[in-house]
Amino acid sequence: MITARIRFFAGLAVHMAATVFAADAPSIQVAPPLITLPAVPIAEPPAGVTLQPAPINAPPPPKSAVELEKAVELPPMIITESSKAPPWLYAAVGDTEYLSRCSAATTRAFVTAQLEIRRMLRVFIPADLLASSSVPAVSLLVPLETGRAADDAVSREMLRSAKQSVRDANDENSRKRKQAAGQLRFLPNLRLDDRDMLAVFSFLNERDFRRENLIAAPDYVFSRLVARTPTLPLWLIEGISRLYPRSSFRVDPITMEPVRWLSSEDTAGLLRDPESRRVMIPVNELFASDALSTPENQHSTRVAAWQLQAALFVRWALDPANAPAAESFWRFARRISLEPASEAIFIECFGFGYADLQERLSDYLPVAVKQPARIPPGRLPPLPRFELKPATPAQIARLRGEWERLEIPFVRRHHPEFLPKYIEQARTTLRRAVGRGDRDPRLFAALGLCELDAGDAGAARSYLEQAVTDRVIRPRVYFELARLRWLELIRGVPENTGFTVAELQPILEPLRMATTQSPPLPEVFILLADAWLRCRERVAASDLPALVAATVLFRRLPSVSSRVAMVQLREGRRAEAIELLGVSAEFATDPAVRTRYQEVITTLKAPPRPAR
């Protein structure tokens, strides 16, 4: 097997020198930090230690479609109710609430298809490795014919408003002439994510609808992997995300298509000769937390090889020909979501080491290039039963309002010139329900978040307060209320001013409630840590363990572990702080930030200076 190692390492060197590779699919993109909050410890840190959050370079705002003079793609809107429109139907099953204007037969078929898809997906990926939430998802279904009629009405009104806005702008500054967009097109299917839930809007052509043709979109699978806590390693997310679109799930068995390796020449060579050269990277580098984060690891061929090898490892493990590798694989994935990957853990799970895995993957590659792999689903559990009922006015308002609220950030990011119409629509839907006397805490939560998304924190506050008083299950609501109270507390106060526990209690209480709900949100623990860093008293006995537990859940987010490290330092737990700063350094993507963490660790490890 020594010759095999020489073969693929030599292939890597030749390939990097001779070719430039364009990957078939985009690499994983890490989202920017969620929030930025001041974190100033009241107690003096050890001499020489200074921790400052890294600056955030926000991208410039995108040009509006009006400025770019092209067709505008907008999320669907439902402007008015009509007596001629089909009645709304409602169903709650699994982790989703459905609101549909399609026929009962189409709606039942659609919901059944969703249940079938998720059942089969869990054959491919264990349920505990996908994100879950105590807040049900929202799925809205509308017949395509209804959608077209709504498009006409909305398009006319929004085009009129857009053209008027452009005329007003041109009157103010004739040197910067802009033309209104000539066409609006509403996206027929769209998923919008919030911090603690998601919503999907679908237009269905009922005449051609076939439930067996539905699949889970690749970006849905990717989002559920990324949002999972404890956070999953990047190689696992990348590997599954690359393998999933090239697999079929609506037939028995699940079938993974043959692999395409790097270039067409590499693939053809492996098809001709199993001993042909292959570009692969060492397994320990595949699992490394900095596999792609440092400049020397960002050569296009290396990135492509890492991406494809991650998918190859997943495919090798799930291929029944390599049983019982799948059980070992998922055990390994669970372990290293909680602790650093190591060969010792790998051996515990698989019974052999990295060198053997390298050889097995190299030997498996020619097989994977030539033939598909099939996973028999075995005996599947029965689908849950559900009841389809006429939707109540409260259900219609709440679910429509949730969707319309989620449209606001989307439109603000992509087409802000149309934002007022979307804000007006969401407010009208939700406020009308409150005006009818609906006191559902979920409705107050949606209204509070709607006002926040619309930019009116003052209006949001009373709705959030009511939802929290009614103990709504909605972790983002508790965080947002705590954040508003925090901003009120620190407004106009010098950053080195400390607070008492009594002053911080209105912030701490909703944050503690948020930590008990699903999904756990990193911003909750960041704000909890920042609040205690501004406190003149010791950290509450119940809060420090919660903060430490969060560093395990969000191991790959340095913004969490570094703040908890500061709390540990404040409490005199130097060894624990050093360990957490090591985690922060391990997953910091900016080399300068990583170096700074390491410098702080060195300072903390140095013996104390003698007193003068």
Side-chain angles (χ1 to χ4, degrees), residues 482-501:
R483 182 179 65 85
L484 293 177
R485 290 175 175 176
W486 169 256
L487 292 175
E488 183 179 63
L489 178 66
I490 66 174
R491 187 177 296 117
V493 177
E495 289 188 354
N496 61 352
T497 299
F499 302 105
T500 65
V501 171

Side-chain angles (χ1 to χ4, degrees), residues 25 114 116-118 120-125 130 213-225 236-250 254-257 310-312 314-315 318 375:
Q114 296 298 310
E116 292 170 340
I117 289 167
R118 293 178 188 182
M120 194 65 87
L121 183 60
R122 291 186 178 102
V123 174
F124 192 64
I125 310 170
L130 296 169
N213 293 337
L214 293 183
I215 62 169
D219 70 314
Y220 167 80
V221 176
F222 174 80
S223 70
R224 296 303 86 200
L225 292 168
L236 180 62
I237 297 172
E238 180 76 15
I240 294 175
S241 298
R242 280 184 164 268
L243 196 60
Y244 176 79
R246 296 183 56 80
S247 305
S248 62
F249 290 82
R250 296 297 281 163
I254 295 172
T255 302
M256 299 180 284
E257 296 177 5
L312 182 69
V314 176
R315 190 186 197 274
L318 301 187
I375 306 174

Side-chain angles (χ1 to χ4, degrees), residues 128 130-132 224-232 519-522 553-554:
D128 68 301
L130 296 169
S132 61
R224 296 303 86 200
L225 292 168
V226 170
R228 190 259 189 183
T229 52
T231 49
L232 298 173
L521 303 177
L553 291 176
F554 304 106

Side-chain angles (χ1 to χ4, degrees), residues 533-568:
L533 288 169
R534 294 287 296 267
C535 187
R536 295 196 291 263
E537 303 171 42
R538 298 294 298 270
V539 179
S542 60
D543 287 343
L544 189 56
L547 288 170
V548 172
T551 64
V552 178
L553 291 176
F554 304 106
R555 178 177 178 80
R556 290 166 174 80
L557 297 181
S559 56
V560 175
S561 53
S562 62
R563 276 175 166 84
V564 178
M566 294 169 71
V567 175
Q568 297 275 35

Side-chain angles (χ1 to χ4, degrees), residues 233-235 281-293 297 302 306 341 354 556 586-587:
L234 286 183
W235 65 262
I281 62 174
V283 167
N284 65 306
E285 296 181 19
L286 173 69
F287 298 147
S289 58
D290 61 350
L292 301 180
S293 61
N297 290 337
R302 177 187 170 80
W306 179 87
Y354 284 174
R556 290 166 174 80
E586 179 183 0
F587 291 104

